[in-house]
Amino acid sequence: MPTSRFSFNRRALLGGGLAVTGAALLSAQGFARQRKSVALPPRAAVAASGEKRISLVAAERSQKLLGPEGPASKVWTYADEPFHLVRLKQGETLAVDFENRLPEHTSVHWHGLRIPNDQDGVPYLTQPPVKPGERHAYRFAPPDAGTFWFHPHCDTVSQLGRGLAGVMIVDGDESRPYDADMVLVLKDWRLDEKTGGWLPFSTTRGELRAGTFGTVRTVNAEQAPRIPLPAGGDCRLRLLNLDSTRVGDLSFEGMEAAVVAIDGNPVAPFPLKEWRLGPAMRLDVVVRAPSQGGEGRLVDFFSAKPVVLASFFGEGEARPARDFDPAPLTRADIPEPQLRQAERLKFAFATASGGKPALAAEGGDALEQALLDSLCAASKTNWSINRESWPAGDHSKIPPPLFTLRQGRSYVAELTNETPHVHPIHLHGFTFKVLKSTRAGTPVHYADTVLLTPKDRITIAFVADRPGDWMVHCHLIEHQETGMMGYVKVV
Ligand code: C2O
Ligand code: CU
């Protein structure tokens, strides 16, 4: 089986018969040499302005997740199709009329957007929860172009588990248009394959370990879709891991591929060999689409047996042959942390200290029980940040912040993992610079979520440029909801 995939994989290659040709290797090396001198081109002044009005209606809808012949499932979505795409231009203001038609309260958190704290969508902390039948207005101008997403922030294990998530693209980061621009949402579902009904979204075993995995893997809510691309074109694929649990080791076969953005933040293009994408993380990749009749594949090598998540075929008249040298994105304008003056913070991610028992169902005080918001209260605490677990009690009693930060100051934070499990750690409101990580081959880049592997240590830096209470938590939702959650206060 011939392949033009230039990045060879150290693990078992799919199908056993794949070989990397000398020509492919050469082109990879040429590209790798070349990229060192590539600085991102500046972004033209933002031209767009004005307001874009949209409405989102969170409701239960029917969706075929088990193929056209299979039973339908009752998903929760923001619009008629899963992973509804909201697209606007950098400089535009987004005005959202949000309506909750779910049987429980919810809110919308805009993941990765550097917007004011009162638009951040965390119930009790930044806004009241939006009760069933209620509406809520969000209004903000995203300061950065890129690939983002939005989701609820309470009972997320079940709301996100049922599909409640949307994709946001802010346009304005391209230096040259690509031949195609496509969203690929990776999300698994916990389905009973006979009935299309839901299996329990969390399990004790999963909560205590690596999380509870979906049973049906999909890309754009379809199992192993076959996706057409313009033959021989340079296509931007926006990969979003919107799963609650699953970490993927993603790689392309049969197509050259380069990373152009991490969590929506442009980086100088570098060849994609294999990328570990944890929950909530995004990766923008440019691939050279197969020629007509050719095929490429997106493969997850995380488990012993590689899984083909999607395949791509070339369509239409082929573009002329040329070297693979994808256009870079333009430079974003993220505040640069001042490392010398920066204050140091430490975040230790661990199991719950001393195995504190669950508070939620205990106590006996009738009023306390009545106030107890079981939806946002973890029933147990398994995990902690800096020895504190998000309290398993009335969510209206917010715990004290992990740190109080001064507005405008720079901070360098060291994140350590004291557990044998991976934790995708997300900080709300700030795009941080990843200065140091034990993960080899990662360039200095900006992100909003980093994957802490077991015993890992990652150093990040950011400017605390906007006041408010900003969540810090693991984005493996069962960890988040059983204690690995906290916030920093910027004053
Ligand atoms: Cu994706 Cu607290 O968020
Ligand atoms: Cu975790």
Side-chain angles (χ1 to χ4, degrees):
M1 212 195 303
T3 176
S4 66
R5 174 170 175 262
F6 66 76
S7 56
F8 62 91
N9 203 293
R10 283 153 284 106
R11 301 196 196 183
L13 285 167
L14 198 70
L18 298 188
V20 178
T21 65
L25 263 179
L26 263 182
S27 103
Q29 282 159 1
F31 178 46
R33 246 199 323 275
Q34 189 185 38
R35 79 182 159 102
K36 294 221 171 62
S37 56
V38 178
L40 292 176
R43 188 166 300 173
V46 169
S49 64
E51 190 179 83
K52 177 158 186 161
R53 295 167 163 273
I54 61 162
S55 57
L56 297 175
V57 181
E60 183 167 280
R61 298 176 175 93
S62 174
Q63 178 76 27
K64 292 254 186 181
L65 295 168
L66 293 162
E69 308 305 322
S73 302
K74 290 190 167 125
V75 295
W76 288 7
T77 54
Y78 289 114
D80 284 339
E81 73 290 353
F83 313 127
H84 179 63
L85 173 62
V86 173
R87 188 157 204 163
L88 70 161
K89 293 190 190 75
Q90 191 178 10
E92 277 182 325
T93 294
L94 184 69
V96 183
D97 172 20
F98 173 66
E99 187 184 341
N100 180 11
R101 286 194 205 148
L102 299 173
E104 60 185 53
H105 76 64
T106 189
S107 62
V108 188
H109 167 58
W110 312 92
H111 183 117
L113 296 185
R114 299 187 299 122
I115 55 180
N117 193 246
D118 61 0
Q119 303 301 305
D120 198 44
V122 180
Y124 302 102
L125 193 69
T126 72
Q127 67 163 85
V130 187
K131 304 226 175 67
E134 284 185 354
R135 303 174 103 95
H136 187 88
Y138 295 94
R139 192 170 187 282
F140 51 82
D144 304 308
T147 308
F148 306 98
W149 67 297
F150 50 98
H151 61 80
H153 220 280
C154 184
D155 194 24
T156 314
V157 106
S158 116
Q159 296 191 3
L160 180 61
R162 291 175 156 86
L164 196 60
V167 176
M168 180 179 292
I169 293 178
V170 182
D171 283 310
D173 55 3
E174 295 187 354
S175 60
R176 280 204 309 266
Y178 300 106
D179 296 313
D181 182 336
M182 184 167 285
V183 170
L184 299 175
V185 172
L186 277 44
K187 189 190 179 316
D188 305 344
W189 310 86
R190 300 239 336 127
L191 286 173
D192 177 328
E193 299 200 26
K194 285 209 188 74
T195 64
W198 301 112
L199 301 172
F201 293 107
S202 69
T203 58
T204 306
R205 192 192 154 83
E207 282 174 4
L208 290 168
R209 296 193 175 91
T212 304
F213 291 88
T215 54
V216 174
R217 306 199 63 178
T218 62
V219 172
N220 296 345
E222 225 187 292
Q223 298 181 64
R226 269 178 56 73
I227 299 170
L229 292 176
D234 284 352
C235 305
R236 180 177 189 174
L237 305 182
R238 302 173 189 255
L239 301 174
L240 298 99
N241 182 346
L242 304 195
D243 198 56
S244 306
T245 313
R246 178 93 59 185
V247 174
D249 273 346
L250 304 179
S251 187
F252 286 92
E253 289 191 342
M255 299 194 287
E256 291 183 288
V259 175
V260 296
I262 298 170
D263 284 354
N265 304 292
V267 286
F270 65 93
L272 170 63
K273 292 197 180 82
E274 191 173 283
W275 192 264
R276 185 159 285 189
L277 197 71
M281 300 167 82
R282 289 90 65 212
L283 195 70
D284 284 49
V285 176
V286 175
V287 297
R288 173 64 53 83
S291 52
Q292 236 185 16
E295 195 192 77
R297 287 170 298 278
L298 171 62
V299 185
D300 179 4
F301 283 95
F302 192 84
S303 14
K305 194 165 177 289
V307 178
V308 177
L309 297 175
S311 54
F312 305 87
F313 61 94
E315 207 182 51
E317 205 182 314
R319 305 288 188 283
R322 67 231 181 272
D323 282 347
F324 182 58
D325 183 16
L329 297 175
T330 55
R331 205 179 316 133
D333 191 15
I334 309 284
E336 183 66 28
Q338 302 301 308
L339 300 183
R340 289 238 178 106
Q341 292 101 304
E343 260 180 57
R344 308 260 148 183
L345 310 171
K346 279 183 193 300
F347 294 87
F349 298 87
T351 52
S353 44
K356 260 189 277 164
L359 298 171
E362 288 161 20
D365 180 324
L367 183 63
E368 186 105 325
Q369 288 296 313
L371 283 172
L372 183 72
D373 173 9
S374 60
L375 200 58
C376 283
S379 58
K380 359 182 162 89
T381 53
N382 302 324
W383 305 96
S384 66
I385 305 177
N386 292 352
R387 314 286 158 227
E388 300 287 339
S389 295
W390 189 267
D394 186 338
H395 202 302
S396 64
K397 287 187 207 119
I398 300 284
L402 293 166
F403 293 104
T404 299
L405 312 181
R406 296 260 302 283
Q407 190 183 350
R409 276 242 178 128
S410 292
Y411 292 88
V412 169
E414 191 181 71
L415 319 179
T416 53
N417 183 357
E418 301 179 0
T419 79
H421 299 286
V422 298
H423 304 286
I425 303 301
H426 173 46
L427 170 64
H428 283 212
F430 306 102
T431 299
F432 48 77
K433 193 171 190 174
V434 182
L435 298 176
K436 233 191 328 187
S437 108
T438 37
R439 169 178 178 172
T442 312
V444 171
H445 64 279
Y446 291 89
D448 54 57
T449 309
V450 279
L451 194 67
L452 262 180
T453 54
K455 312 291 171 206
D456 204 356
R457 191 179 290 270
I458 294 180
T459 311
I460 64 169
F462 62 98
V463 182
D465 62 351
R466 274 151 307 121
D469 294 331
W470 302 100
M471 300 294 295
V472 184
H473 63 86
C474 180
H475 225 292
L476 205 155
I477 308 297
E478 285 164 286
H479 293 179
Q480 174 190 2
E481 293 197 334
T482 62
M484 200 177 268
M485 173 156 67
Y487 68 99
V488 295
K489 183 184 273 304
V490 178
V491 292

